[in-house]
Amino acid sequence: MALATHFITLDIHLGDAQEDLVGMIEAALAKRGEPLRWAITQVNPATQTATVEAVVTTQA
């Protein structure tokens, strides 16, 4: 079983995550693979979005 790692960037709309921002980010990342680490790297108050950069693994 081989694993591949990927660096991904997601934009999360903050209005959709009023209750559980961490849960929403982790659910979005889980669609792309198994998250190893992630961070919010930018917040845009004008558009109410957060940029998330992450490293995920997938089965190769």
Side-chain angles (χ1 to χ4, degrees), residues 1-4 10 14 17-18 20-21 27 35 41 45 48 50-51 55 59:
M1 174 175 81
L3 295 177
L10 299 175
L14 297 174
Q18 293 179 10
D20 186 19
L21 179 60
T41 58
Q48 291 292 300
T51 301
V55 176
Q59 300 236 353

Side-chain angles (χ1 to χ4, degrees), residues 15-55:
D16 297 338
Q18 293 179 10
E19 295 283 322
D20 186 19
L21 179 60
V22 172
M24 184 175 184
I25 291 170
E26 289 176 344
L29 291 173
K31 294 176 185 176
R32 308 283 293 276
E34 179 67 30
L36 294 177
R37 64 180 180 161
W38 60 268
I40 298 173
T41 58
Q42 184 176 13
V43 175
N44 185 333
T47 60
Q48 291 292 300
T49 58
T51 301
V52 176
E53 294 180 356
V55 176

